[in-house]
Amino acid sequence: MQFEMMYSKIHRATVTDANLNYVGSITVDEELMEKAHLRLNQKVDILNINNGERFQTYVIKGERGKRDICLNGAAARKAHPQDKIIIVAYAIMDEKEADTHIPYVVHVDENNNPL
């Protein structure tokens, strides 16, 4: 049996930009990607704490250290700069993996610095 489990998340990130004229995705600072074990083009759920929106997109790499969290393309309609979001990634696991996996959780401050 296979289970879709939370693999990692970035908790309460602040949206720094929303770029409607870009071809889809969420730009995430490279360092935050590494800390959350996110991969380039990985599918993620975005949970907007401010307005309750929940949607899926994929991750693209932002410049290391800039702390950018930018929603691009259609996703830009789902959040505004300064909104707080949770970025959640999942993985398919067998029963043994699901029982032992501890998700990678990255908490950030209001400037998207890891805590």
Side-chain angles (χ1 to χ4, degrees):
M1 188 174 301
Q2 300 283 300
F3 301 91
E4 188 170 9
M5 305 293 293
M6 184 177 81
Y7 175 74
S8 70
K9 74 175 179 173
I10 300 174
H11 192 73
R12 294 187 64 88
T14 302
V15 175
T16 58
D17 195 11
N19 183 351
L20 187 61
N21 296 314
Y22 190 88
V23 181
S25 69
I26 184 168
T27 303
V28 178
D29 178 290
E30 182 178 20
E31 182 181 355
L32 295 176
M33 284 180 63
E34 289 171 0
K35 287 186 177 298
H37 295 252
L38 294 175
R39 296 177 173 274
L40 183 65
N41 298 315
Q42 184 173 7
K43 182 171 92 171
V44 291
D45 282 350
I46 308 299
L47 318 175
N48 188 322
I49 295 167
N50 291 76
N51 65 19
E53 288 280 359
R54 299 172 71 95
F55 57 95
Q56 294 179 335
T57 190
Y58 60 93
V59 176
I60 62 172
K61 189 183 305 181
E63 187 176 330
R64 178 180 290 278
K66 283 191 69 179
R67 301 298 186 245
D68 287 338
I69 300 290
C70 178
L71 292 164
N72 303 302
R77 297 270 190 209
K78 303 287 188 178
H80 298 283
Q82 301 307 309
D83 280 1
K84 296 289 187 189
I85 62 171
I86 303 169
I87 303 166
V88 184
Y90 303 90
I92 303 297
M93 300 179 191
D94 63 29
E95 192 168 357
K96 183 177 179 181
E97 291 170 317
D99 287 345
T100 60
H101 176 68
I102 299 170
Y104 302 99
V105 177
V106 179
H107 293 270
V108 295
D109 67 14
E110 62 280 352
N111 296 310
N112 295 327
N113 294 305
L115 298 175

